[in-house]
């Protein structure tokens, strides 16, 4: 501070009473030389020990074990494969995923060890998608297969339909047509679902008076046929068969490979309605050169004029 007195300039330092004079030869410790603090690089090129300790702590706490993915790699491939065929609102897509997770858990608990292979999971997911997006058509497929099993469990000498033919006779006709095309099946339940749909269900879904309203429940029919044909399938033998939706313990046609006990996303009232519809039908064999059955309504045949 400069003080001016009598035109004379003098420079006198004014010391603060709290100031501490540090000798020039005294070394002031820097941040990196403090023994209580770890070394930290200014340019952030060195990973600190605290980050390593935190990651190790997470691993030791079992974080990765608590939060496992819901689907494995093969299941993710199946989801991706069917993604383009899943339509509708996000809520429906979420329902399909949740239904599959529940069905897979129950199947894992019920099926023998080692039978939950990728083909089973692929078929299960496909069937859940079909039941969710095409409940009316799938109900018809399930009821026709169920009635066929019940017929096969009965004594043939007591099966005399009042009119028309039995389902067993119709399925014998389907097997013959498949044999003519080079496809031989030992059992009715070995037939592909697509053959059942083309030969019988494609016609019968239009039989009830409420057919137009019921068909509005279903999605695109062409996509339905694509899934039955398994045009996206990458696994040999993953095409759905009658045995996949058959009842497991029906007398005369038992099957252990069925997916029916693990599918819960088709409503029971739809099954009951379709059972009532099919009970009103009389089955007739197709005309020569025709690949679909004919039917008549019982009310028209037995109506008394």
């Amino acid at each position: 501070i400069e003080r001016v007195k009598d035109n004379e300039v003098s420079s006198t330092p004014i010391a603060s009473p709290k100031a501490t004079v540090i000798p020039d030869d005294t070394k002031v410790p820097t941040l990196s030389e403090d023994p209580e603090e770890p070394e930290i690089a200014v340019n952030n090129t060195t990973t600190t020990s605290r980050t390593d300790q935190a990651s190790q702590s997470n691993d030791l706490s079992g974080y990765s074990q608590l939060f496992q993915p819901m689907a494995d790699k093969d299941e993710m491939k199946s989801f991706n494969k069917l993604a383009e065929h899943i339509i509708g609102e996000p809520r429906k897509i979420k329902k399909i995923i949740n239904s599959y997770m529940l069905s897979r858990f129950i199947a894992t608990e019920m099926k023998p060890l080692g039978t939950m292979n990728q083909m089973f999971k692929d078929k299960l997911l496909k069937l859940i998608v079909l039941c969710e997006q095409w409940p009316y058509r799938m109900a018809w497929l399930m009821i026709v297969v169920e009635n066929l099993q019940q017929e096969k469990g009965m004594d043939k000498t007591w099966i005399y339909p009042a009119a028309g033919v039995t389902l067993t006779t119709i399925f014998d006709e389907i097997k013959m047509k498949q044999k003519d095309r080079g496809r031989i099946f030992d059992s009715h339940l070995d037939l592909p679902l697509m053959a059942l749909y083309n030969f019988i269900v494609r016609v019968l879904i239009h039989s009830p008076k409420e057919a137009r309203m019921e068909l509005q429940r279903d999605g695109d029919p062409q996509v339905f046929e694509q899934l039955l044909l398994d045009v996206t399938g990458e696994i040999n033998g993953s095409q759905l068969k009658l045995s996949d939706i058959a009842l497991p313990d029906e007398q005369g046609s038992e099957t252990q490979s069925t997916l029916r006990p693990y599918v819960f996303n088709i409503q029971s009232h739809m099954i009951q309605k379709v059972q009532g519809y099919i009970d009103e039908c009389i089955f007739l064999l197709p005309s020569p050169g025709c690949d679909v059955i004919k039917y008549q309504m019982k009310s028209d045949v037995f109506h008394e004029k």
Side-chain angles (χ1 to χ4, degrees):
I1 299 175
E2 295 181 349
R3 293 182 294 179
V4 180
K5 180 180 179 180
D6 298 334
N7 296 326
E8 295 181 0
V9 179
S10 63
S11 298
T12 304
I14 301 177
S16 172
K18 296 183 179 180
T20 303
V21 180
I22 302 176
D24 294 338
D25 57 350
T26 303
K27 185 177 180 182
V28 180
T30 61
L31 181 61
S32 59
E33 295 175 341
D34 190 348
E36 298 180 357
E37 292 292 335
E39 182 178 357
I40 301 176
V42 178
N43 57 3
N44 294 328
T45 58
T46 304
T47 305
T48 62
S49 60
R50 292 181 179 179
T51 305
D52 296 335
Q53 293 177 358
S55 60
Q56 293 177 1
S57 177
N58 288 337
D59 293 338
L60 294 176
S61 63
Y63 178 86
S64 59
Q65 297 180 359
L66 292 176
F67 296 94
Q68 294 289 336
M70 294 188 298
D72 56 28
K73 293 182 179 180
D74 293 330
E75 289 172 326
M76 289 301 299
K77 291 181 180 179
S78 298
F79 274 108
N80 293 332
K81 181 179 60 180
L82 297 175
E84 61 183 12
H85 300 304
I86 300 177
I87 56 179
E89 301 176 352
R91 181 178 298 179
K92 178 174 290 188
I93 299 175
K94 181 179 179 180
K95 185 178 179 181
I96 290 174
I97 297 175
N98 291 337
S99 298
Y100 173 75
M101 297 304 169
L102 175 61
S103 299
R104 184 192 62 182
F105 173 78
I106 295 177
T108 304
E109 296 295 323
M110 294 180 59
K111 289 182 66 64
L113 185 64
T115 58
M116 281 285 294
N117 53 23
Q118 183 56 32
M119 184 186 301
F120 178 88
K121 295 179 182 179
D122 190 69
K123 285 186 174 184
L124 180 61
L125 176 59
K126 189 187 306 179
L127 187 58
I128 289 174
V129 172
L130 289 169
C131 290
E132 184 64 34
Q133 299 190 158
W134 295 274
Y136 182 63
R137 287 174 169 83
M138 285 305 302
W140 273 97
L141 289 173
M142 290 182 175
I143 289 299
V144 171
V145 174
E146 182 178 331
N147 288 1
L148 173 66
Q149 288 184 277
Q150 292 171 350
E151 280 188 9
K152 293 178 69 67
M154 297 174 61
D155 189 348
K156 295 182 179 180
T157 59
W158 293 97
I159 303 179
Y160 293 104
V165 297
T166 62
L167 279 174
T168 304
T169 304
I170 293 176
F171 273 90
D172 289 338
E173 184 73 13
I174 297 177
K175 286 181 62 178
M176 290 299 298
K177 289 184 176 296
Q178 294 293 321
K179 185 177 180 180
D180 295 339
R181 298 171 182 175
R183 303 172 183 175
I184 301 176
F185 300 96
D186 297 331
S187 171
H188 292 152
L189 296 181
D190 292 332
L191 289 168
L193 277 183
M194 189 60 190
L196 169 59
Y197 179 75
N198 278 334
F199 201 83
I200 299 179
V201 174
R202 185 194 295 272
V203 178
L204 294 182
I205 57 177
H206 300 282
S207 60
K209 296 180 180 179
E210 301 86 353
R212 178 176 296 182
M213 179 187 67
E214 299 289 3
L215 287 169
Q216 292 178 356
R217 303 174 184 271
D218 290 358
D220 191 337
Q222 282 74 33
V223 179
F224 178 78
E225 295 175 11
Q226 288 177 0
L227 285 177
L228 290 184
L229 286 171
D230 193 34
V231 295
T232 61
E234 299 177 357
I235 301 176
N236 186 23
S238 62
Q239 188 177 25
L240 290 173
K241 302 178 181 180
L242 271 65
S243 59
D244 293 322
I245 61 172
L247 297 177
D249 300 321
E250 189 66 31
Q251 184 179 2
S253 58
E254 297 85 354
T255 176
Q256 300 299 324
S257 61
T258 179
L259 304 169
R260 184 83 173 260
Y262 315 114
V263 178
F264 310 100
N265 63 324
I266 186 168
Q267 298 179 352
S268 59
H269 77 85
M270 177 59 68
I271 300 291
Q272 295 171 1
K273 288 174 67 174
V274 172
Q275 181 64 68
Y277 295 152
I278 200 172
D279 288 341
E280 293 295 324
C281 296
I282 296 175
F283 307 124
L284 304 174
L285 288 175
S287 303
C290 183
D291 285 341
V292 296
I293 68 167
K294 294 183 177 181
Y295 72 91
Q296 289 181 315
M297 303 303 295
K298 291 181 180 179
S299 57
D300 297 334
V301 174
F302 303 121
H303 181 66
E304 295 182 2
K305 297 183 179 179

